[in-house]
């Protein structure tokens, strides 16, 4: 939530839909684009999504209106990023520490991009729908992987599924976050929607 910040100027309808689609596509890409150890397509997709949102924020500052939507975490995240740069500068092995620096910068960029665009989305719930639905699909596929499929539907058998992440730990991080988003959607929904999002959370956690 923003603190002592006037409401952000509403974005033009087309831009609001475009940014909502950008975030929704980013979450879907994070789930379904296969990771590669050398090319890292999944990481590139995540970086492209955050960069695209930040580019939209910078472009929006060319219009009159509030320039920055403040949140209680702004200072903490900025210090986190600055600390990463500081330790990278002091590291005797820049090649080894560059990967950690990339993660820190990407995390900070994604936070500020989301914070600055969240109030300007045409459908703020669309990215959450994409995140939760992607987690439910991934969880369902992983359940199939533990059995090698179901009936005529055959999938690669895996004792520890990794889906498109190439690592069960990375998959678990995504599924746990998707389960939280599904749970939040279930709490805010009513009727059938509550049951459907609850089912999505269960699939992500299964």
């Amino acid at each position: 939530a923003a603190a002592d910040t006037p409401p952000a100027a509403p974005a033009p309808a087309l831009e609001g839909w475009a940014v909502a689609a950008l975030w929704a596509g980013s979450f879907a890409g994070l789930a379904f684009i296969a990771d590669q150890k050398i090319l890292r397509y999944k990481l590139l997709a995540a970086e492209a999504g955050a960069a695209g949102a930040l580019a939209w924020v910078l472009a929006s500052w060319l219009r009159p209106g509030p320039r920055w939507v403040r949140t209680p975490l702004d200072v903490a995240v900025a210090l986190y990023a600055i600390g990463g740069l500081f330790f990278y500068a002091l590291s005797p092995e820049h090649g080894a520490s560059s990967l950690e620096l990339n993660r820190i910068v990407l995390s900070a960029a994604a936070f500020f991009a989301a914070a600055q665009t969240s109030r300007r989305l045409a459908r703020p719930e669309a990215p959450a729908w994409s995140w939760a639905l992607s987690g439910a699909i991934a969880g369902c596929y992983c359940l199939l992987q533990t059995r090698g499929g179901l009936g005529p539907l055959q999938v690669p058998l895996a004792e520890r599924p990794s889906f498109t992440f190439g690592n069960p730990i990375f998959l678990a991080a995504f599924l746990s976050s998707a389960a939280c988003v599904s749970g939040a959607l279930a709490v805010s929904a009513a009727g059938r929607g509550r049951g459907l999002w609850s089912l999505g959370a269960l699939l992500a956690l299964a």
Side-chain angles (χ1 to χ4, degrees):
D4 302 326
T5 304
L14 182 58
E15 287 188 22
W17 280 108
V19 178
L22 172 64
W23 280 116
S26 296
F27 287 123
L30 183 62
F32 300 117
I33 293 177
D35 196 21
Q36 299 286 338
K37 289 185 178 180
I38 298 178
L39 300 177
R40 309 309 300 268
Y41 290 127
K42 190 182 292 291
L43 179 60
L44 289 174
E47 291 174 343
L54 280 176
W56 183 88
V57 170
L58 295 176
S60 70
W61 288 353
L62 299 176
R63 295 191 297 266
R67 291 290 187 269
W68 188 263
V69 177
R70 291 184 295 172
T71 77
L73 292 177
D74 285 351
V75 174
V77 175
L79 290 175
Y80 169 68
I82 293 171
L85 292 170
F86 178 74
F87 285 112
Y88 174 78
L90 295 180
S91 173
E93 297 289 343
H94 284 178
S97 59
S98 62
L99 294 177
E100 185 62 28
L101 176 64
N102 289 343
R103 283 190 285 268
I104 291 174
V105 172
L106 175 59
S107 298
F111 168 80
F112 285 115
Q116 298 307 306
T117 58
S118 60
R119 293 187 176 188
R120 310 181 189 209
L121 302 176
R123 291 296 296 270
E125 63 273 27
W129 291 344
S130 176
W131 194 347
L133 183 59
S134 297
I137 294 173
C140 185
Y141 183 83
C142 290
L143 285 175
L144 291 174
Q145 277 194 297
T146 61
R147 299 173 57 89
L150 182 64
L153 178 61
Q154 299 296 308
V155 300
L157 179 64
E159 183 179 352
R160 298 182 64 202
S162 58
F163 194 49
T164 61
F165 290 82
N167 186 314
I169 298 175
F170 297 160
L171 169 65
F174 175 78
L175 290 179
S176 59
S177 62
C180 293
V181 175
S182 294
L185 290 171
V187 170
S188 61
R192 292 183 179 179
R194 176 166 296 180
L196 289 174
W197 292 122
S198 297
L199 175 60
L202 289 175
L203 287 172
L205 291 173

